[in-house]
Amino acid sequence: MLKTLGKFIFMIELGYKHIKIFKKTYFHPFISLKPAYKQLSQDRQSYSNGVIEYLNIKVELIGEVPSQDKVLYAINHRSLLDIIVMEHVFSKHNKNGTWIAKQELFDAFYGDFFRYSGCISVDLENRKGLLKFFKEIKKTLTKIDDFNIYIFPEGERNKTPDILEFQSGAQKIAKANQLDVVPVFINDTLESVFKHAPYKEKKVVQVHMGDLINHQNLEEDYLDFVKRTKGEK
């Protein structure tokens, strides 16, 4: 009980500290879009690296993060640790970008973390909101040459060992902006990893990074990638 409480207190306190850091960039009157996103990406990564260190987790990357930018990273989603693990990976490869998140996350008690850290919200039930969302994505990609998009195409946290049916958002974003896609598979149930953290000895978590794929057959190609990763094909 104390172990669980301790890590939540640590993450909340660190999170509020970083919200103040995010706001300095978010509300800066003179900073332009490119350096703003670079700084916000670095600050999110700083938070994530702090959590990874506290939980005593080691992330083992299998595959390579592409040197190319302006790509969409399609990532499976099982835990609140998924973003933290991926930001840790991106910090090692100098990647800048944004997370696509449902509007409900921005409305939650921790919504300021998403709101001020450079994440982009999408309201799937609001047509005008969707149009505004796609315009914002296109504008950002036009103005920032080293920008990337991170998304959970399943659309929600998956409590099964399988991959849920993809929602249409990831493919629409990639198609509208002619983005290649990087399939990513976190080969662990991070909900369980988080539950038992922090660890006395390093807990290794594997992240599999696939080769670039075309958005046209996104779900099919992603599932093929996961099957190969699991040795099922």
Side-chain angles (χ1 to χ4, degrees):
M1 184 68 177
L2 290 176
K3 186 178 180 181
T4 300
L5 183 61
K7 64 192 168 195
F8 275 114
I9 291 174
F10 172 82
M11 291 175 69
I12 290 170
E13 288 181 344
L14 188 63
Y16 275 110
K17 176 183 175 182
H18 276 75
I19 288 171
K20 293 179 181 178
I21 295 172
F22 299 148
K23 284 183 175 181
K24 291 180 182 179
T25 300
Y26 189 90
F27 290 112
H28 196 292
F30 304 117
I31 193 168
S32 61
L33 209 58
K34 181 173 179 176
Y37 266 109
K38 184 177 181 65
Q39 186 61 56
L40 289 172
S41 293
Q42 290 175 347
D43 292 337
R44 287 197 315 267
Q45 291 163 8
S46 172
Y47 168 79
S48 299
N49 288 341
V51 174
I52 290 288
E53 181 178 357
Y54 177 82
L55 299 180
N56 203 21
I57 291 172
K58 177 182 178 181
V59 181
E60 179 184 0
L61 179 64
I62 300 174
E64 296 183 358
V65 176
S67 58
Q68 177 181 328
D69 287 309
K70 286 192 174 182
V71 300
L72 185 147
Y73 287 79
I75 307 157
N76 65 315
H77 189 27
R78 292 177 179 164
S79 164
L80 59 82
L81 272 188
D82 296 334
I83 291 178
I84 291 170
V85 164
M86 290 309 305
E87 286 286 14
H88 176 73
V89 171
F90 295 138
S91 75
K92 303 296 184 184
H93 297 82
N94 196 30
K95 289 296 178 181
N96 306 318
T98 189
W99 289 91
I100 307 302
K102 291 181 178 180
Q103 181 60 44
E104 61 195 56
L105 292 177
F106 289 72
D107 299 332
F109 78 93
Y110 46 77
D112 282 356
F113 189 96
F114 289 91
R115 182 173 296 106
Y116 298 122
S117 68
C119 300
I120 297 178
S121 66
V122 56
D123 186 351
L124 299 174
E125 307 301 323
N126 185 324
R127 187 172 182 275
K128 287 184 179 180
L130 280 173
L131 291 174
K132 180 182 177 183
F133 166 77
F134 276 99
K135 285 181 180 178
E136 183 175 1
I137 292 290
K138 186 170 285 293
K139 181 188 80 170
T140 307
L141 284 165
T142 300
K143 294 196 171 189
I144 308 177
D145 56 7
D146 61 350
F147 191 71
N148 299 283
I149 295 175
Y150 317 134
I151 193 169
F152 298 124
E154 294 168 286
E156 60 185 348
R157 198 180 299 180
N158 181 3
K159 298 185 182 297
T160 77
D162 302 314
I163 302 296
L164 299 179
E165 181 179 352
F166 280 13
Q167 296 188 2
S168 61
Q171 188 162 20
K172 285 180 178 178
I173 293 169
K175 182 179 180 181
N177 298 284
Q178 292 300 298
L179 303 177
D180 287 326
V181 179
V182 179
V184 181
F185 180 66
I186 302 173
N187 193 20
D188 213 324
T189 308
L190 294 188
E191 200 71 43
S192 176
V193 171
F194 180 71
K195 180 180 179 181
H196 295 95
Y199 294 90
K200 291 182 179 179
E201 298 182 2
K202 285 285 184 190
K203 167 65 177 177
V204 177
V205 171
Q206 290 185 338
V207 173
H208 293 260
M209 191 83 59
D211 296 329
L212 291 167
I213 59 177
N214 190 283
H215 61 78
Q216 292 180 341
N217 299 306
L218 173 57
E219 185 171 5
E220 181 181 341
D221 289 347
Y222 183 90
L223 291 173
D224 284 344
F225 160 70
V226 171
K227 287 179 181 178
R228 291 195 302 272
T229 297
K230 292 182 172 182
E232 296 175 0
K233 186 176 180 180

PDB file of all heavy atoms in Angstrom, residues 167-187:
ATOM      1  N   GLN A 167      -9.100   2.411 -34.619  1.00  0.00           N
ATOM      2  CA  GLN A 167     -10.007   3.473 -35.003  1.00  0.00           C
ATOM      3  C   GLN A 167      -9.448   4.163 -36.244  1.00  0.00           C
ATOM      4  O   GLN A 167      -8.292   3.968 -36.608  1.00  0.00           O
ATOM      5  CB  GLN A 167     -10.189   4.455 -33.844  1.00  0.00           C
ATOM      6  CG  GLN A 167     -10.861   3.816 -32.633  1.00  0.00           C
ATOM      7  CD  GLN A 167     -11.223   4.819 -31.550  1.00  0.00           C
ATOM      8  OE1 GLN A 167     -11.017   6.007 -31.688  1.00  0.00           O
ATOM      9  NE2 GLN A 167     -11.777   4.315 -30.453  1.00  0.00           N
ATOM     10  N   SER A 168     -10.243   4.981 -36.874  1.00  0.00           N
ATOM     11  CA  SER A 168      -9.865   5.526 -38.187  1.00  0.00           C
ATOM     12  C   SER A 168      -8.893   6.698 -38.089  1.00  0.00           C
ATOM     13  O   SER A 168      -8.299   7.098 -39.092  1.00  0.00           O
ATOM     14  CB  SER A 168     -11.117   5.974 -38.939  1.00  0.00           C
ATOM     15  OG  SER A 168     -11.803   6.992 -38.227  1.00  0.00           O
ATOM     16  N   GLY A 169      -8.715   7.261 -36.891  1.00  0.00           N
ATOM     17  CA  GLY A 169      -7.949   8.494 -36.753  1.00  0.00           C
ATOM     18  C   GLY A 169      -6.531   8.435 -37.280  1.00  0.00           C
ATOM     19  O   GLY A 169      -6.096   9.332 -38.006  1.00  0.00           O
ATOM     20  N   ALA A 170      -5.777   7.394 -36.915  1.00  0.00           N
ATOM     21  CA  ALA A 170      -4.365   7.306 -37.304  1.00  0.00           C
ATOM     22  C   ALA A 170      -4.218   7.291 -38.818  1.00  0.00           C
ATOM     23  O   ALA A 170      -3.388   8.012 -39.386  1.00  0.00           O
ATOM     24  CB  ALA A 170      -3.732   6.059 -36.690  1.00  0.00           C
ATOM     25  N   GLN A 171      -5.017   6.473 -39.488  1.00  0.00           N
ATOM     26  CA  GLN A 171      -4.914   6.380 -40.943  1.00  0.00           C
ATOM     27  C   GLN A 171      -5.329   7.690 -41.615  1.00  0.00           C
ATOM     28  O   GLN A 171      -4.710   8.122 -42.598  1.00  0.00           O
ATOM     29  CB  GLN A 171      -5.773   5.228 -41.473  1.00  0.00           C
ATOM     30  CG  GLN A 171      -5.555   4.963 -42.965  1.00  0.00           C
ATOM     31  CD  GLN A 171      -6.048   3.595 -43.377  1.00  0.00           C
ATOM     32  OE1 GLN A 171      -6.860   2.991 -42.687  1.00  0.00           O
ATOM     33  NE2 GLN A 171      -5.555   3.077 -44.492  1.00  0.00           N
ATOM     34  N   LYS A 172      -6.348   8.350 -41.079  1.00  0.00           N
ATOM     35  CA  LYS A 172      -6.802   9.623 -41.664  1.00  0.00           C
ATOM     36  C   LYS A 172      -5.736  10.704 -41.529  1.00  0.00           C
ATOM     37  O   LYS A 172      -5.501  11.479 -42.455  1.00  0.00           O
ATOM     38  CB  LYS A 172      -8.100  10.070 -40.995  1.00  0.00           C
ATOM     39  CG  LYS A 172      -9.321   9.274 -41.428  1.00  0.00           C
ATOM     40  CD  LYS A 172     -10.581   9.773 -40.734  1.00  0.00           C
ATOM     41  CE  LYS A 172     -11.810   9.007 -41.212  1.00  0.00           C
ATOM     42  NZ  LYS A 172     -13.043   9.446 -40.517  1.00  0.00           N
ATOM     43  N   ILE A 173      -5.090  10.749 -40.363  1.00  0.00           N
ATOM     44  CA  ILE A 173      -4.024  11.733 -40.157  1.00  0.00           C
ATOM     45  C   ILE A 173      -2.875  11.481 -41.123  1.00  0.00           C
ATOM     46  O   ILE A 173      -2.358  12.398 -41.771  1.00  0.00           O
ATOM     47  CB  ILE A 173      -3.515  11.687 -38.705  1.00  0.00           C
ATOM     48  CG1 ILE A 173      -4.603  12.162 -37.739  1.00  0.00           C
ATOM     49  CG2 ILE A 173      -2.257  12.545 -38.541  1.00  0.00           C
ATOM     50  CD1 ILE A 173      -4.283  11.892 -36.284  1.00  0.00           C
ATOM     51  N   ALA A 174      -2.463  10.216 -41.223  1.00  0.00           N
ATOM     52  CA  ALA A 174      -1.344   9.867 -42.097  1.00  0.00           C
ATOM     53  C   ALA A 174      -1.684  10.138 -43.565  1.00  0.00           C
ATOM     54  O   ALA A 174      -0.869  10.678 -44.318  1.00  0.00           O
ATOM     55  CB  ALA A 174      -0.977   8.402 -41.899  1.00  0.00           C
ATOM     56  N   LYS A 175      -2.888   9.792 -43.963  1.00  0.00           N
ATOM     57  CA  LYS A 175      -3.292   9.989 -45.359  1.00  0.00           C
ATOM     58  C   LYS A 175      -3.401  11.468 -45.697  1.00  0.00           C
ATOM     59  O   LYS A 175      -2.915  11.918 -46.746  1.00  0.00           O
ATOM     60  CB  LYS A 175      -4.636   9.304 -45.617  1.00  0.00           C
ATOM     61  CG  LYS A 175      -5.114   9.429 -47.063  1.00  0.00           C
ATOM     62  CD  LYS A 175      -6.439   8.703 -47.253  1.00  0.00           C
ATOM     63  CE  LYS A 175      -6.920   8.840 -48.708  1.00  0.00           C
ATOM     64  NZ  LYS A 175      -8.224   8.157 -48.910  1.00  0.00           N
ATOM     65  N   ALA A 176      -4.019  12.244 -44.813  1.00  0.00           N
ATOM     66  CA  ALA A 176      -4.223  13.671 -45.078  1.00  0.00           C
ATOM     67  C   ALA A 176      -2.907  14.427 -45.198  1.00  0.00           C
ATOM     68  O   ALA A 176      -2.823  15.441 -45.893  1.00  0.00           O
ATOM     69  CB  ALA A 176      -5.081  14.283 -43.977  1.00  0.00           C
ATOM     70  N   ASN A 177      -1.876  13.917 -44.519  1.00  0.00           N
ATOM     71  CA  ASN A 177      -0.587  14.616 -44.507  1.00  0.00           C
ATOM     72  C   ASN A 177       0.527  13.827 -45.198  1.00  0.00           C
ATOM     73  O   ASN A 177       1.692  14.220 -45.121  1.00  0.00           O
ATOM     74  CB  ASN A 177      -0.192  14.921 -43.063  1.00  0.00           C
ATOM     75  CG  ASN A 177      -1.180  15.844 -42.386  1.00  0.00           C
ATOM     76  OD1 ASN A 177      -1.197  17.036 -42.623  1.00  0.00           O
ATOM     77  ND2 ASN A 177      -2.040  15.274 -41.543  1.00  0.00           N
ATOM     78  N   GLN A 178       0.136  12.725 -45.866  1.00  0.00           N
ATOM     79  CA  GLN A 178       1.091  11.884 -46.593  1.00  0.00           C
ATOM     80  C   GLN A 178       2.280  11.490 -45.720  1.00  0.00           C
ATOM     81  O   GLN A 178       3.448  11.646 -46.092  1.00  0.00           O
ATOM     82  CB  GLN A 178       1.571  12.605 -47.866  1.00  0.00           C
ATOM     83  CG  GLN A 178       0.488  12.768 -48.930  1.00  0.00           C
ATOM     84  CD  GLN A 178      -0.072  11.416 -49.391  1.00  0.00           C
ATOM     85  OE1 GLN A 178       0.665  10.582 -49.941  1.00  0.00           O
ATOM     86  NE2 GLN A 178      -1.356  11.193 -49.174  1.00  0.00           N
ATOM     87  N   LEU A 179       1.947  10.951 -44.550  1.00  0.00           N
ATOM     88  CA  LEU A 179       2.978  10.546 -43.593  1.00  0.00           C
ATOM     89  C   LEU A 179       3.249   9.050 -43.685  1.00  0.00           C
ATOM     90  O   LEU A 179       2.317   8.243 -43.798  1.00  0.00           O
ATOM     91  CB  LEU A 179       2.536  10.874 -42.165  1.00  0.00           C
ATOM     92  CG  LEU A 179       2.188  12.323 -41.840  1.00  0.00           C
ATOM     93  CD1 LEU A 179       1.713  12.426 -40.391  1.00  0.00           C
ATOM     94  CD2 LEU A 179       3.373  13.240 -42.081  1.00  0.00           C
ATOM     95  N   ASP A 180       4.518   8.679 -43.627  1.00  0.00           N
ATOM     96  CA  ASP A 180       4.853   7.285 -43.386  1.00  0.00           C
ATOM     97  C   ASP A 180       4.551   6.971 -41.924  1.00  0.00           C
ATOM     98  O   ASP A 180       4.444   7.870 -41.086  1.00  0.00           O
ATOM     99  CB  ASP A 180       6.331   7.025 -43.674  1.00  0.00           C
ATOM    100  CG  ASP A 180       6.640   7.031 -45.160  1.00  0.00           C
ATOM    101  OD1 ASP A 180       5.775   6.598 -45.942  1.00  0.00           O
ATOM    102  OD2 ASP A 180       7.740   7.477 -45.531  1.00  0.00           O
ATOM    103  N   VAL A 181       4.446   5.673 -41.625  1.00  0.00           N
ATOM    104  CA  VAL A 181       4.071   5.234 -40.277  1.00  0.00           C
ATOM    105  C   VAL A 181       5.148   4.318 -39.714  1.00  0.00           C
ATOM    106  O   VAL A 181       5.675   3.455 -40.419  1.00  0.00           O
ATOM    107  CB  VAL A 181       2.715   4.489 -40.303  1.00  0.00           C
ATOM    108  CG1 VAL A 181       2.342   4.002 -38.907  1.00  0.00           C
ATOM    109  CG2 VAL A 181       1.615   5.398 -40.870  1.00  0.00           C
ATOM    110  N   VAL A 182       5.477   4.515 -38.442  1.00  0.00           N
ATOM    111  CA  VAL A 182       6.381   3.613 -37.737  1.00  0.00           C
ATOM    112  C   VAL A 182       5.551   2.768 -36.774  1.00  0.00           C
ATOM    113  O   VAL A 182       4.956   3.299 -35.829  1.00  0.00           O
ATOM    114  CB  VAL A 182       7.451   4.388 -36.936  1.00  0.00           C
ATOM    115  CG1 VAL A 182       8.355   3.407 -36.193  1.00  0.00           C
ATOM    116  CG2 VAL A 182       8.266   5.275 -37.844  1.00  0.00           C
ATOM    117  N   PRO A 183       5.465   1.460 -36.992  1.00  0.00           N
ATOM    118  CA  PRO A 183       4.744   0.605 -36.040  1.00  0.00           C
ATOM    119  C   PRO A 183       5.593   0.338 -34.805  1.00  0.00           C
ATOM    120  O   PRO A 183       6.784   0.040 -34.904  1.00  0.00           O
ATOM    121  CB  PRO A 183       4.518  -0.689 -36.832  1.00  0.00           C
ATOM    122  CG  PRO A 183       5.661  -0.744 -37.801  1.00  0.00           C
ATOM    123  CD  PRO A 183       6.016   0.682 -38.127  1.00  0.00           C
ATOM    124  N   VAL A 184       4.973   0.480 -33.638  1.00  0.00           N
ATOM    125  CA  VAL A 184       5.683   0.261 -32.369  1.00  0.00           C
ATOM    126  C   VAL A 184       4.870  -0.713 -31.523  1.00  0.00           C
ATOM    127  O   VAL A 184       3.650  -0.558 -31.387  1.00  0.00           O
ATOM    128  CB  VAL A 184       5.872   1.583 -31.596  1.00  0.00           C
ATOM    129  CG1 VAL A 184       6.625   1.322 -30.289  1.00  0.00           C
ATOM    130  CG2 VAL A 184       6.609   2.609 -32.439  1.00  0.00           C
ATOM    131  N   PHE A 185       5.557  -1.701 -30.958  1.00  0.00           N
ATOM    132  CA  PHE A 185       4.885  -2.668 -30.097  1.00  0.00           C
ATOM    133  C   PHE A 185       5.633  -2.761 -28.778  1.00  0.00           C
ATOM    134  O   PHE A 185       6.799  -3.142 -28.723  1.00  0.00           O
ATOM    135  CB  PHE A 185       4.836  -4.047 -30.768  1.00  0.00           C
ATOM    136  CG  PHE A 185       4.157  -5.106 -29.936  1.00  0.00           C
ATOM    137  CD1 PHE A 185       2.814  -5.031 -29.652  1.00  0.00           C
ATOM    138  CD2 PHE A 185       4.879  -6.174 -29.429  1.00  0.00           C
ATOM    139  CE1 PHE A 185       2.174  -5.993 -28.889  1.00  0.00           C
ATOM    140  CE2 PHE A 185       4.257  -7.165 -28.665  1.00  0.00           C
ATOM    141  CZ  PHE A 185       2.904  -7.071 -28.396  1.00  0.00           C
ATOM    142  N   ILE A 186       4.950  -2.368 -27.705  1.00  0.00           N
ATOM    143  CA  ILE A 186       5.520  -2.495 -26.355  1.00  0.00           C
ATOM    144  C   ILE A 186       5.197  -3.902 -25.871  1.00  0.00           C
ATOM    145  O   ILE A 186       4.043  -4.228 -25.596  1.00  0.00           O
ATOM    146  CB  ILE A 186       4.936  -1.432 -25.415  1.00  0.00           C
ATOM    147  CG1 ILE A 186       5.206  -0.022 -25.963  1.00  0.00           C
ATOM    148  CG2 ILE A 186       5.545  -1.583 -24.012  1.00  0.00           C
ATOM    149  CD1 ILE A 186       4.519   1.084 -25.197  1.00  0.00           C
ATOM    150  N   ASN A 187       6.236  -4.728 -25.766  1.00  0.00           N
ATOM    151  CA  ASN A 187       6.044  -6.154 -25.546  1.00  0.00           C
ATOM    152  C   ASN A 187       6.020  -6.479 -24.052  1.00  0.00           C
ATOM    153  O   ASN A 187       6.803  -7.279 -23.549  1.00  0.00           O
ATOM    154  CB  ASN A 187       7.154  -6.952 -26.238  1.00  0.00           C
ATOM    155  CG  ASN A 187       6.832  -8.428 -26.316  1.00  0.00           C
ATOM    156  OD1 ASN A 187       5.677  -8.824 -26.201  1.00  0.00           O
ATOM    157  ND2 ASN A 187       7.848  -9.243 -26.514  1.00  0.00           N
TER     158      ASN A 187
END
